[in-house]
Amino acid sequence: MDTVVIGAGWAGLGVSYELAQRGIRHRVFERARIGQTWRTQRWDSFRLNTTTADTLMPGERYTGPDPDGALTHGEFIALLEDYVRRHNLPVEEDRTVTALSAGQENGFVVEVAGEAVRARNVVIASGSLNRPLPRPAWAASLPVPQVDGCDYRSADGLPAGPVLVVGSGQSGAQIAYDLAIAGRPVYLSTGRVGRLLRRYRGKDTLRWLDDSGFMDVKRADLIAAAPDGRLPARGVIGATRTLSLQFLSAEGVRLTGRLTGFSDNRMLTFSDDVVANLLLGNEASARVKDWIDSYIDRSGIDAPPAEDDPAETVAPRLPDPPILELDVSGLGCIVWCTGFRGDYSYLGVAGALDEKGQPVHVDGVGAVPGLFFAGLDFGTKRKSGTIRAVNEESALFATLIAERLAGG
């Protein structure tokens, strides 16, 4: 084959569409069903945090009645399945890739279900955020049920008793809120995570950030601007409303600082930094609003004045004194929401992965010629890893593959 695409989520299907538009022969292998990660790693009430009008695949445009709505994961899966049917994309479901190796000549060998497929190019779109980061070593000794955020489905699916959610990023904040509105007692171990408003000055905040170029800042520039040379964490943005730490606390979520350890075989310990984490979220939101205000001013846009968001102005209800220890015997469950990375265990091409088993690439183009990584978080720009980037990046990879094939 000219090209094999591994994974039939939004990233892989976007590349498949662009390859088909260029007449490039290819096959798409999906380990189970189209959008499998969306089927198996989302909770029941999950909604996308991009609006329906912005949840677009290549070649599509939105014409529906609810441009600012938020799709459920089931609706998004249906969108992907319909996309495959309408564009006749060559997706093969239940075709798990067990190994990817270098060919004897230029190209690769993709082993799938007893078949060895040779391909000049391979696009890996199997997900860069589909495996939970390892828990602390001491977590194995905790005498309480534990689940990863990707395995959480609903409050009813957890054991009775208070729940500790570890991590206040996108998943952690939303799961804590889901538990709180279900009436479960919830502790949320917070971290240094920014925040974005859901809407600002009459428009969806992410749309403002798209229009202003904020989401187009390049990966290399983000790394260069970071004090520690690392990519920044994404700020929390609720799917249907702003989610702030002060709002969660007002909803009954008891906030703690960062989880630091386990002592005396019964006590979880926490840093005394919950106030600092709350203030960091406020500061991050203020910077984003300043960016949007500046864009509106210099562009001469007639936008409505800013209004306070109740989720930001509500007074926080913080434990006094701060929670620095928590007896694990009083918990019903712990939900770990401390981040994800990609599972590339099938990739056996020398030089393709770094010492942590993650892709070596520049803007999604692998270090090994002919190898591409689609859908990487921060792969080329700030918006990479979200569906907002699928049109641009799919076209880029398909163009580069066409050029390789034309070069002989």
Side-chain angles (χ1 to χ4, degrees):
M1 300 299 297
D2 291 333
T3 304
V4 161
V5 179
I6 303 174
W10 59 263
L13 297 180
V15 173
S16 176
Y17 171 86
E18 293 291 352
L19 291 173
Q21 294 299 300
R22 291 161 177 76
I24 296 174
R25 295 182 311 124
H26 68 285
R27 297 168 73 178
V28 182
F29 295 132
E30 167 54 53
R31 61 189 169 95
R33 300 173 64 192
I34 293 167
Q36 182 66 11
T37 297
W38 294 88
R39 298 176 189 272
T40 59
Q41 296 188 0
R42 302 294 185 270
W43 54 93
D44 294 349
S45 66
F46 180 92
R47 289 181 177 270
L48 275 70
N49 61 16
T50 54
T51 65
T52 51
D54 296 317
T55 307
L56 294 174
M57 294 294 289
E60 306 283 271
R61 63 188 183 91
Y62 182 76
T63 59
D66 188 20
D68 289 326
L71 296 177
T72 68
H73 60 298
E75 291 170 332
F76 184 57
I77 292 166
L79 180 153
L80 296 180
E81 290 178 324
D82 182 61
Y83 187 73
V84 171
R85 285 192 296 268
R86 286 187 292 105
H87 297 290
N88 196 30
L89 301 181
V91 174
E92 301 176 33
E93 295 181 294
D94 296 315
R95 299 277 277 164
T96 300
V97 172
T98 56
L100 170 60
S101 58
Q104 293 182 349
E105 300 178 356
N106 290 338
F108 307 91
V109 177
V110 183
E111 296 181 25
V112 51
E115 180 184 3
V117 180
R118 300 184 182 279
R120 293 280 307 281
N121 305 279
V122 173
V123 179
I124 296 178
S126 55
S128 64
L129 297 174
N130 58 6
R131 172 188 284 184
L133 292 177
R135 302 170 188 172
W138 47 260
S141 64
L142 293 174
V144 62
Q146 303 172 64
V147 299
D148 292 307
C150 58
D151 295 322
Y152 170 77
R153 294 296 175 266
S154 69
D156 292 340
L158 298 183
V163 180
L164 169 64
V165 178
V166 183
S168 59
Q170 189 71 14
S171 295
Q174 293 186 86
I175 290 175
Y177 183 49
D178 191 62
L179 289 164
I181 61 179
R184 294 294 293 267
V186 187
Y187 295 91
L188 176 62
S189 173
T190 64
R192 296 179 57 79
V193 184
R195 181 182 72 248
L196 291 82
L197 289 171
R198 181 66 269 179
R199 289 183 65 83
Y200 184 65
R201 299 193 66 175
K203 191 158 67 172
D204 182 79
T205 294
L206 292 180
R207 199 168 295 153
W208 278 125
L209 297 182
D210 274 338
D211 294 345
S212 64
F214 182 88
M215 301 298 282
D216 287 321
V217 177
K218 295 181 178 180
R219 171 191 174 92
D221 294 337
L222 290 170
I223 294 174
D228 58 1
R230 300 172 60 185
L231 287 165
R234 293 196 185 276
V236 174
I237 183 167
T240 59
R241 64 172 306 139
T242 301
L243 285 182
S244 68
L245 293 182
Q246 54 265 45
F247 168 75
L248 291 173
S249 73
E251 291 294 304
V253 176
R254 302 194 71 190
L255 303 181
T256 77
R258 181 174 58 86
L259 178 61
T260 56
F262 182 52
S263 63
D264 300 328
N265 291 321
R266 69 184 188 94
M267 301 302 294
L268 294 166
T269 58
F270 302 88
S271 297
D272 186 11
D273 58 357
V274 64
V275 172
N277 295 337
L278 191 152
L279 293 176
L280 184 145
N282 293 343
E283 292 164 0
S285 177
R287 287 195 297 272
V288 171
K289 288 185 284 189
D290 288 345
W291 173 284
I292 295 172
D293 290 338
S294 177
Y295 169 70
I296 289 172
D297 289 344
R298 69 175 182 268
S299 302
I301 297 171
D302 183 17
E307 296 181 357
D308 289 335
D309 187 312
E312 293 198 318
T313 58
V314 65
R317 295 172 54 191
L318 302 181
D320 187 15
I323 298 172
L324 301 181
E325 290 186 326
L326 194 61
D327 192 330
V328 72
S329 66
L331 295 175
C333 184
I334 297 175
V335 181
W336 292 92
C337 300
T338 50
F340 296 86
R341 64 186 177 191
D343 180 2
Y344 301 99
S345 55
Y346 59 86
L347 179 48
V349 179
L353 301 176
D354 62 18
E355 67 280 0
K356 296 181 179 179
Q358 300 303 291
V360 178
H361 71 99
V362 176
D363 292 338
V365 180
V368 178
L371 195 60
F372 302 86
F373 295 89
L376 292 180
D377 199 34
F378 291 102
T380 65
K381 299 179 178 180
R382 180 181 265 124
K383 65 185 176 185
S384 298
T386 75
I387 197 169
R388 314 179 90 83
V390 67
N391 285 273
E392 181 179 319
E393 293 184 359
S394 295
L396 169 65
F397 296 141
T399 298
L400 292 175
I401 288 170
E403 291 174 352
R404 289 194 81 243
L405 294 171

